[in-house]
Amino acid sequence: MRIGELSERTNTPRRLLRYYEEQGLIAADRSPNGYREYDERFVDRVMQIRGLLDAGLPTRIIKQILPCLDKPRVIHFPDATPEMLATLRHERDRMNARIECLIRNRDAMEEYLDAVSGTLRRHSV
Amino acid sequence: MRIGELSERTNTPRRLLRYYEEQGLIAADRSPNGYREYDERFVDRVMQIRGLLDAGLPTRIIKQILPCLDKPRVIHFPDATPEMLATLRHERDRMNARIECLIRNRDAMEEYLDAVSGTLRRHSV
DNA sequence: TCGAACCCTCACATCGATGTGAGGGTCAAC
DNA sequence: GTTGACCCTCACATCGATGTGAGGGTTCGA
């Protein structure tokens, strides 16, 4: 598929798809005429990237961890340098901190929503 | 305490503490001489703000949800308008999406780290 | 063959979160 | 009463993610 379709299917402006490519997050083939050519796998890939960006990770980090998240990842074992593993562990820890923070605050919001709806019910009955 | 101490204890540049105040996330008292004056509760508050910012929430949203997260929150019931509750639910959903995305990717990283360390062990034995 | 709907590459603009520093007050200790 | 370590308020700079559009090629159907 070309960039327009990928853009629609991932709900992502073309501008950003080109930007992600420029940042090295995705690598599209080119048709003879120069158009970018994508296959199905890019749909998930782009959504994953967007999710991570939305969760606060910068493209620089996403670029580093993306290769480890591919499904048949056995192929990538050899290129695991010690520094890279350290980075990976460090980012995992940061993600855990983020997750904990989000869960704590989500639970507090939930609690608040529950309390308010309880109050409303009590008031309206 | 004054801004310098809060800055050290939260590991946050003074500049940002002033910025958070400007954005309406915290409201410091002022000493007669104009210095900002903080009490203990600001330490947690600032760390919570930083966590949420790091997790990808903009100050505008943080400002909206912070009041609901205070501990003796009973006081805040009356100001819960329907639009505000809708916003809150919407943000909770977004946070859930973020959490799921982070957990998925963290698990994949963990899996990769496990696999690599397993390989190394196998290779080194 | 013309126009619509794609695509391309720049390049400049915006926006939010930060960095940095100038210019200037407060206050305690020496 | 001067010095050093605080604090203040601007205000401009930077950085990453994104918006927008100019200028121009490709493809395809009317």
Side-chain angles (χ1 to χ4, degrees):
Chain A
M1 83 192 81
R2 282 174 310 183
I3 202 170
E5 188 179 341
L6 184 60
S7 166
E8 272 190 15
R9 291 180 55 185
T10 59
N11 205 28
T12 304
R14 288 144 230 253
R15 170 71 175 89
L16 288 188
L17 296 175
R18 300 196 184 101
Y19 175 65
Y20 300 154
E21 178 175 328
E22 183 186 315
Q23 299 304 306
L25 302 185
I26 50 181
D29 283 3
R30 295 296 180 120
S31 312
N33 57 14
Y35 289 7
R36 272 164 261 254
E37 198 59 44
Y38 304 92
D39 65 37
E40 286 296 314
R41 297 174 306 155
F42 280 89
V43 177
D44 282 349
R45 183 89 160 191
V46 168
M47 305 238 278
Q48 187 182 23
I49 291 171
R50 300 222 91 199
L52 290 171
L53 276 172
D54 180 62
L57 280 79
T59 55
R60 177 176 45 83
I61 299 297
I62 297 176
K63 180 181 176 180
Q64 290 186 294
I65 67 179
L66 262 189
C68 319
L69 309 181
D70 276 344
K71 270 328 161 67
R73 85 183 99 46
V74 193
I75 308 153
H76 298 92
F77 277 168
D79 57 5
T81 69
E83 311 84 52
M84 146 116 184
L85 289 181
T87 303
L88 217 53
R89 290 202 193 86
H90 182 243
E91 286 308 320
R92 175 203 53 190
D93 293 346
R94 278 176 58 82
M95 284 175 76
N96 274 328
R98 260 186 269 255
I99 290 168
E100 275 167 37
C101 177
L102 284 172
I103 287 179
R104 249 198 325 275
N105 284 283
R106 181 211 46 192
D107 288 350
M109 287 169 71
E110 203 75 73
E111 206 180 314
Y112 177 82
L113 285 168
D114 286 355
V116 171
S117 83
T119 300
L120 291 182
R121 202 174 307 118
R122 228 176 302 132
H123 280 211
S124 58
V125 171
Chain B
M1 83 192 79
R2 283 173 310 183
I3 202 171
E5 187 179 341
L6 184 60
S7 167
E8 272 189 17
R9 291 181 55 185
T10 59
N11 204 28
T12 304
R14 288 143 228 252
R15 170 73 174 86
L16 288 188
L17 295 175
R18 301 197 183 100
Y19 176 65
Y20 300 154
E21 178 175 328
E22 183 185 316
Q23 299 304 306
L25 303 185
I26 50 181
D29 283 3
R30 295 297 179 120
S31 312
N33 58 13
Y35 290 7
R36 272 164 261 254
E37 198 57 45
Y38 304 92
D39 64 38
E40 285 298 314
R41 297 174 305 155
F42 280 89
V43 176
D44 282 350
R45 183 86 160 195
V46 168
M47 305 240 278
Q48 186 180 23
I49 291 171
R50 299 222 91 198
L52 290 172
L53 276 172
D54 179 64
L57 280 78
T59 55
R60 177 177 43 83
I61 299 298
I62 297 177
K63 180 181 176 180
Q64 290 186 295
I65 68 180
L66 262 188
C68 320
L69 309 181
D70 276 344
K71 270 328 163 63
R73 85 183 100 46
V74 194
I75 308 155
H76 298 91
F77 277 167
D79 57 4
T81 69
E83 312 85 53
M84 146 117 185
L85 290 180
T87 303
L88 217 53
R89 291 203 191 85
H90 183 243
E91 287 308 320
R92 175 203 53 190
D93 293 346
R94 277 177 58 82
M95 284 175 77
N96 274 327
R98 259 185 270 254
I99 290 168
E100 275 167 36
C101 176
L102 285 172
I103 287 180
R104 251 198 324 275
N105 284 285
R106 182 211 47 192
D107 288 350
M109 287 170 70
E110 202 76 71
E111 207 180 313
Y112 177 82
L113 284 168
D114 285 354
V116 171
S117 82
T119 300
L120 292 183
R121 201 173 309 117
R122 226 177 305 131
H123 281 212
S124 59
V125 171

